[in-house]
Structure formats: structure tokens, C-alpha cells
Amino acid sequence: MRSPERVLNSLSEHSKVSDYQFERLYRILFNEEMFYIAYQRIHAKPGNMTEGSDGKTVNNMNLTRIKKLIDSLKDESYQPQPSRRVYIPKKNGKMRPLGVPTFDDKLLQEVVRMVLEAIYERSFEDISHGFRPKRNCHTALAQIQKSFCGTKWFVEGDIKGFFDNINHNILIQILEERIADQRFIRLIRKFLNAGYIEDWKFHKTYSGTPQGGIISPILANIYLDKLDKYMKEYTRKFDKGKNRKRNELSISIQHKKRWAREKLRMVTDETEREKWILRLKALQKESVLIPSGDEMDSNYRRLKYVRYADDFLIGIIGSKQDAIIIKEDIKNFLTNKLALELSDEKTLITHTEKAAKFLGYEIDVTKSNTTKRSNNGALRRAFNKRVRLMIGKDVIKNKLLEHRVLEIKIHNGREQWKPKSRPRLTIVDDLEILEKYNQEIRGLVNYFSLANNACELQSFGYIMKYSMCKTFAHKYRTKVTKILKKYHKNGHFTVNYKLKNGAVKSRLFYHDGYKRKDPMKNINIDNLPNVVMYTVSTSLVDRLKAEECELCGATDKLIMHHVRKLGELKGKQSWEKLMIARRRKTIAVCGSCHQKIHLGCID
């Protein structure tokens, strides 16, 4: 049996050849080691403790379960269960449907995902950042800040109901361009057609990929890679001119500067020299404010494009008419080739002096005459035509309202922000209150740390801190001043807590600051990530293979018992103590011990 590492690396190497056809992929699914790796990768996710439509979770996992799954694949009797549909709230107040597959389906989908990633990852374009290894929202934003400088128009793109409207036949046709294994293709079609259960009723799926399915992101990227390649070719044809035509006024000033330098060399009289020096300095200041290239040059055009999942942003150096044509061409391509529709209300054409919205940030291009001397001492408008990533005015306000820590009062027609307590948190201990606030602050600060106005996050931190103080005051029925006096140590809000061995430790309120992180540092956005596949020893499966119960020592076929979070364990029973001591959310036990754990009668 070949190791998963060798299998995946072999697929990845062949993927470099653009017209290579992959055959006999289905038999990779007979490799038990592939399932062990998949289990190792996904077992710890809390969502696996959520029941699928079959009522099962990751709990009660064993080697026999994997073997049965492989046997059903060998005779092609495997049929994925319909996912259980749940809804989660979106930012706009609407609800987003999510499908919860059964764990056996998740396990197989993870194996299929690994195979598809090995085949396609190297062929994806470097302007795609969603659901890819070593790429995320920050790499997309960094690429925009690096490559969109000088653009005049933005096209904010959003595909209407993308995940729900993926055409199954088109997706299969795209897969068949590289995969010549009909059994593997049939398996993917089974996943697409599995359907979902809502309110105990079965619904067929005729289009789309289930949001929540493990293979949905990679299938979405394979589908939209056609758009990426279309935009790459479109950009090649759209771009025009090597350099902008020189600005006549700039040329005139450069001639005057050369003339002034020549006169300065020839003049010997000190008074006359002073006059020409002043003249030269004035010309230098004037030349800094005049662009060297003609910004209205119709023979110079550029197009930039970045995509994250179904959202994309286009930057155009050209006219508004160019932007309108580009938007229409993309709309026609999506409709005719991918059976998708651009969202009219979200696909906007915006001048770069105004902000375009992308991935929660507001993006614009500065127009500034502020000068800065370069390394050789020359004056330059260093900040002109630069891309700015900004935190929107309402982002902090809406997040504070979402956390229910802000009270807004109107005074003389102006808003006044006041922190308020969170009564719901008064029933938990001090450390949990502190950790709750720290997690919420870090979440927002880490995401918006690329913003040029990241210092605006200080107001968020201030409201959160005093909301926390008010929550403590509410809990202990005292004043905020007394809370601050009690908990402030060495300039930081500090909560002390005891460990089980009696040791006293302390946790501090967030104090890492709100400085901006440079998106250009440590992000190699121009190169595709290294996608050489590697695997680690599957400790989970090794423990199952040992066939020795970790509780009673009995020699038997083992079952893996899972918990959602270690924090949920009270540490009273022997198996809980063992899991807490090992810091593992799993324990391999015999059938008898596993039954006793669920009955609550184990010693």
C-alpha cells in the first residue's frame, strides 16, 4: 500500500503538465492510510460533534467503520447521506443555509479534497486567495495594496448566490478536462446530488454545492478558476502601452531645471549664484507637484484583478467607459460559460477617490501632494496614487452594538458613545469574563490590523475595557472605580486564578496595542504556495491499532471517544482526568468502557 505522501506528491508533480489526464484516481480511495490522514486532520473540529442526518457524530470512531466505508466504495454501493440543513445569521440580517454532512461523508470528502487539491492547486492563478493553503483575506488585501497603485476605477464584483447556483453539468465538464476516471467523477456527482433534510423533509439538489461540505470550497475554486483564466487573458489583451506619454508641462520644467543647473555651473558671482540656487529649488518644488506622465493618455491602460471566493475586485487605469465594458464582458462570460449571474446591487463601478468595499475593508487610492525625500535626497510625492486599506466608519460601531457593549446617546445632534455592562456574563467567573473580552478584541484587531487607520481600533478597545469593568461592577454590586482599584496591577487589568495544584496564575486584559501591521512583510503574494504534500504520523489511528484500552488496559478492538471541548469536562471521573492531563479531546477505549462513559457509571 503506497503512503499517502507519495500518492499526493505524485499527483502534484503530474499537475504541472497542463494537458495531463489523471486516470485511476478512484482506487486511491481504497487506501486505508488516506482515511487515517483525513481522520487526523478533521477529528478535532467542534463541528464534528454535531449530528448529521444519520444521528451519528465523530464519536464512536473505530477502524471497522473505515473498512466498511472502503468496502462500500469498492463495490460502488456507497451513497452519501443527505446533509442536515441549518441556518446561521449573515451580516445583512438574512440567514445563510449550511449543510451538516454525516461524519462518514465528511471523512470521505476530506480524502477526495486532498486528491483534488493535489491535482488542481498548482494550476490555480495567483490572484485567487479563498480556501487555499497559505492564502487568506490578508494575502488578497496585500496584493491589492501592492498592485493596484495608480488605478482610477474600481469594479466591485459579487456573484449572486454563487454556492447555490453552481451548475452541476458544467462543473463535471470542467473536472473531466483533467480527470479521466468515471468512477471518481460519479462519486463527486453523488456528493452534489445527495440533497438535504430540512424540517424532516428530503429535498433534492439540482444545482449548487452545499455550504458546509468539506469539498465545496475546492470545487468552487475549480469552477471559478475558469473566470480567473478568462480575466488573465482579458488583462493581456486590455493592457496597452509600455509607459505613459510624457507630460508636456513636466518636460518644460525639466528643461528649465537643466538650464538652471548649467547657469549655476557658469556663474561665479555669489549674488548671482544665490539667485539661481533659489530658482532651481523653486523649480524642483514645482516639478514634484506635476506628474511626469500624462494621466489622460488614452494609449496607456492597465487592468488588475483579485478574487476571494465569490467576491472579486478589479482596478482599472483607463476611462469609466472601459470599466463599464469590462463589467458587461464579465457578466456575459459568467452567464454564457458558467451559468452564473452578477449581483447588480453589489457589483458597482466606483471612482478610486471614493472607497470600494472588499472583504470588510474600504479601499481607495490617495491623492496627496505630501512630499518625502528618497534615499538619494530627491523630493517625491511618496503618498500620491497609493492604495489605502481603511476601517469603515460603521465597522467599529456595528461590532460594539453586536457585542451589546455600547449605548449611544444623542447630545446636541451628535452621537455620544458610552460603554455598558453585559448582565449575561455576570453568572460566570472572573477569568471567563476577561477571556471573553480578550477574544473579541483580538478577533477584530487581528483582522483589521492591515488598515492604514488601524489606530481607530483604540476606541473599540476603550469601550470594551470599560464595558468589562462595568460588567465586573454589576457582578459584585460595586462601582467601576473600586473595580479598577482592585484589579489594576502594574498598569494592567489583571485577573488572578488558582490551578488545581494550588498555584496562582494571572491573566491580563488585552495590551498588545493597535499599531498597523505592514501587509507587505512576510507575505510572498506573487508566488504560488508550496503545495508539496506531506503527512505526519497518525497518532489517533496508532492508538486505535494498539488495541489496549487507555482506561482499563483490556485488549480488544477499540473505539475513539470524543468531546467537543476540553473545557466542558469537569474532571471528576477517571476518564475526564486522563483527557485533561493529556490535553486531548480523544480517548481510545474498549466497547465496555465506552458504554460505561455514556451511561455515567464508570469509576
Side-chain angles (χ1 to χ4, degrees):
M1 189 181 293
R2 294 176 69 195
S3 72
E5 184 177 357
R6 290 182 63 188
V7 171
L8 296 175
N9 281 331
S10 175
L11 294 176
S12 185
E13 283 298 313
H14 285 115
S15 72
K16 295 176 184 177
V17 183
S18 60
D19 58 349
Y20 185 84
Q21 285 263 309
F22 290 87
E23 300 175 349
R24 296 185 292 181
L25 294 178
Y26 193 75
R27 68 177 187 173
I28 294 172
L29 307 181
F30 305 157
N31 187 334
E32 286 184 29
E33 295 289 334
M34 293 290 292
F35 287 87
Y36 299 160
I37 298 298
Y39 178 43
Q40 181 78 35
R41 285 187 176 187
I42 68 175
H43 82 280
K45 295 179 180 178
N48 291 326
M49 291 300 292
T50 303
E51 291 182 357
S53 58
D54 61 351
K56 296 179 182 178
T57 66
V58 64
N59 200 20
N60 201 30
M61 189 64 192
N62 53 58
L63 299 181
T64 306
R65 198 167 162 180
I66 291 174
K67 287 175 182 174
K68 284 182 180 178
L69 184 57
I70 292 173
D71 288 341
S72 68
L73 288 167
K74 285 179 178 178
D75 60 16
E76 291 195 63
S77 64
Y78 169 78
Q79 182 61 45
Q81 297 290 319
S83 58
R84 186 169 62 85
R85 175 155 287 191
V86 296
Y87 290 88
I88 59 171
K90 296 168 72 174
K91 288 184 179 180
N92 59 9
K94 297 180 181 179
M95 301 298 284
R96 184 191 302 279
L98 283 183
V100 181
T102 64
F103 183 74
D104 287 356
D105 291 342
K106 285 182 181 178
L107 192 63
L108 179 54
Q109 283 188 31
E110 175 61 18
V111 176
V112 173
R113 188 203 63 78
M114 289 191 293
V115 172
L116 289 174
E117 185 176 276
I119 293 171
Y120 284 98
E121 181 58 37
R122 286 179 184 265
S123 65
F124 288 154
E125 300 298 324
D126 65 343
I127 45 75
S128 168
H129 295 265
F131 316 122
R132 295 183 63 191
K134 299 183 182 180
R135 295 198 165 216
N136 50 42
C137 294
H138 281 190
T139 58
L141 292 162
Q143 188 168 48
I144 288 169
Q145 188 150 57
K146 180 179 179 180
S147 62
F148 277 49
C149 292
T151 56
K152 288 186 177 181
W153 297 95
F154 288 131
V155 178
E156 306 168 50
D158 182 87
I159 299 170
K160 197 172 184 179
F162 169 65
F163 284 95
D164 294 329
N165 292 311
I166 291 177
N167 186 290
H168 290 176
N169 292 330
I170 294 175
L171 176 59
I172 294 298
Q173 287 172 13
I174 293 170
L175 290 169
E176 286 176 339
E177 289 175 8
R178 301 217 69 181
I179 298 173
D181 184 340
Q182 284 305 310
R183 288 198 297 174
F184 192 81
I185 294 292
R186 280 200 300 272
L187 177 63
I188 292 176
R189 193 179 275 281
K190 282 181 180 181
F191 283 127
L192 295 173
N193 295 333
Y196 63 91
I197 290 176
E198 184 177 6
D199 297 331
W200 301 104
K201 289 182 180 179
F202 172 73
H203 300 266
K204 290 184 178 180
T205 46
Y206 299 100
S207 64
T209 59
Q211 294 187 54
I214 289 177
I215 60 167
S216 293
I218 184 75
L219 290 177
N221 270 340
I222 291 168
Y223 201 80
L224 283 182
D225 185 57
K226 290 294 181 182
L227 173 63
D228 298 339
K229 286 182 167 48
Y230 170 76
M231 289 306 300
K232 182 179 181 181
E233 182 62 21
Y234 194 100
T235 300
R236 189 184 65 79
K237 292 177 181 177
F238 179 85
D239 289 357
K240 190 161 102 175
K242 196 170 183 181
N243 292 301
R244 277 195 175 102
K245 185 173 67 175
R246 290 292 304 277
N247 189 334
E248 295 295 332
L249 191 54
S250 175
I251 293 171
S252 173
I253 291 175
Q254 292 300 326
H255 286 318
K256 290 177 182 178
K257 282 167 68 177
R258 279 196 290 272
W259 172 249
R261 289 193 190 98
E262 287 295 325
K263 292 294 278 184
L264 199 57
R265 290 194 197 97
M266 294 165 58
V267 172
T268 55
D269 181 62
E270 283 300 318
T271 307
E272 193 70 14
R273 280 183 63 81
E274 284 292 330
K275 187 180 81 170
W276 282 106
I277 288 171
L278 290 173
R279 172 70 174 155
L280 185 58
K281 285 182 177 180
L283 287 169
Q284 285 175 336
K285 285 183 179 179
E286 188 180 352
S287 67
V288 166
L289 301 178
I290 296 171
S292 59
D294 182 4
E295 293 189 2
M296 303 305 290
D297 184 5
S298 59
N299 292 317
Y300 181 84
R301 300 188 311 190
R302 290 291 183 272
L303 187 150
K304 302 294 179 181
Y305 164 83
V306 168
R307 180 178 66 81
Y308 185 92
D310 58 336
D311 293 329
F312 59 86
L313 187 68
I314 295 172
I316 301 161
I317 297 177
S319 65
K320 186 176 182 180
Q321 187 60 34
D322 291 331
I324 293 169
I325 292 170
I326 290 168
K327 177 185 171 182
E328 195 61 30
D329 288 343
I330 293 172
K331 184 177 180 179
N332 292 335
F333 174 81
L334 289 173
T335 303
N336 299 330
K337 300 294 183 181
L338 299 178
L340 295 172
E341 184 182 351
L342 272 184
S343 172
D344 289 329
E345 60 183 57
K346 294 181 181 179
T347 305
L348 308 173
I349 295 173
T350 313
H351 194 278
T352 54
E353 289 183 7
K354 297 179 181 178
K357 292 183 180 179
F358 186 66
L359 299 179
Y361 279 74
E362 290 188 357
I363 303 169
D364 63 11
V365 177
T366 59
K367 191 175 182 181
S368 171
N369 289 330
T370 304
T371 56
K372 182 181 177 181
R373 291 197 180 274
S374 61
N375 292 334
N376 61 4
L379 272 177
R380 287 184 178 174
R381 285 193 295 174
F383 308 101
N384 193 41
K385 302 298 181 184
R386 299 288 178 183
V387 174
R388 290 192 310 175
L389 306 175
M390 306 292 284
I391 303 171
K393 292 179 181 179
D394 292 331
V395 167
I396 293 172
K397 176 182 171 181
N398 291 339
K399 186 57 72 172
L400 291 169
L401 290 171
E402 182 185 322
H403 293 323
R404 298 181 181 179
V405 299
L406 179 65
E407 183 181 4
I408 299 176
K409 293 185 176 180
I410 307 298
H411 182 70
N412 293 333
R414 297 182 65 184
E415 286 186 354
Q416 286 188 342
W417 291 11
K418 291 190 177 181
K420 67 177 184 179
S421 68
R422 298 163 84 172
R424 291 184 181 181
L425 293 180
T426 56
I427 60 173
V428 299
D429 63 37
D430 293 359
L431 183 61
E432 285 182 90
I433 296 173
L434 180 73
E435 282 299 296
K436 177 73 172 172
Y437 279 91
N438 278 349
Q439 288 169 9
E440 289 167 349
I441 292 169
R442 284 197 181 94
L444 192 75
V445 170
N446 287 342
Y447 186 74
F448 284 101
S449 58
L450 302 188
N452 291 75
N453 61 339
C455 58
E456 294 289 330
L457 293 167
Q458 289 180 4
S459 62
F460 178 78
Y462 173 86
I463 296 290
M464 292 292 281
K465 180 177 180 180
Y466 281 93
S467 168
M468 182 185 68
C469 291
K470 285 190 173 186
T471 303
F472 274 94
H474 188 166
K475 179 179 178 180
Y476 294 109
R477 299 184 181 279
T478 185
K479 295 181 179 179
V480 171
T481 50
K482 290 184 179 180
I483 291 294
L484 288 170
K485 193 177 290 185
K486 178 182 176 182
Y487 288 92
H488 256 264
K489 293 177 184 177
N490 300 321
H492 299 294
F493 192 99
T494 309
V495 170
N496 295 325
Y497 61 99
K498 275 188 178 181
L499 300 177
K500 289 185 179 179
N501 60 8
V504 177
K505 290 205 168 187
S506 59
R507 196 68 57 86
L508 306 181
F509 180 74
Y510 177 83
H511 60 284
D512 293 337
Y514 303 94
K515 289 183 74 174
R516 177 179 183 252
K517 294 177 184 175
D518 187 350
M520 301 305 161
K521 288 183 179 177
N522 304 321
I523 298 180
N524 194 0
I525 54 178
D526 291 329
N527 295 326
L528 288 171
N530 182 5
V531 292
V532 173
M533 304 297 169
Y534 64 92
T535 58
V536 294
S537 60
T538 55
S539 61
L540 281 172
V541 175
D542 291 340
R543 287 157 63 198
L544 286 172
K545 286 179 177 178
E547 294 190 350
E548 183 178 340
C549 178
E550 294 178 358
L551 278 179
C552 69
T555 304
D556 195 4
K557 289 186 178 180
L558 302 185
I559 297 167
M560 193 66 74
H561 178 73
H562 291 253
V563 295
R564 187 184 293 270
K565 293 180 181 177
L566 279 177
E568 295 174 354
L569 300 178
K570 296 178 181 178
K572 293 182 179 179
Q573 299 189 27
S574 57
W575 65 273
E576 291 180 325
K577 290 176 183 177
L578 187 61
M579 293 178 80
I580 292 169
R582 293 180 175 180
R583 293 185 180 180
R584 283 177 172 167
K585 295 196 288 184
T586 56
I587 184 168
V589 292
C590 61
S592 176
C593 286
H594 192 242
Q595 189 175 14
K596 288 177 182 178
I597 287 172
H598 282 283
L599 292 173
C601 59
I602 197 165
D603 294 332

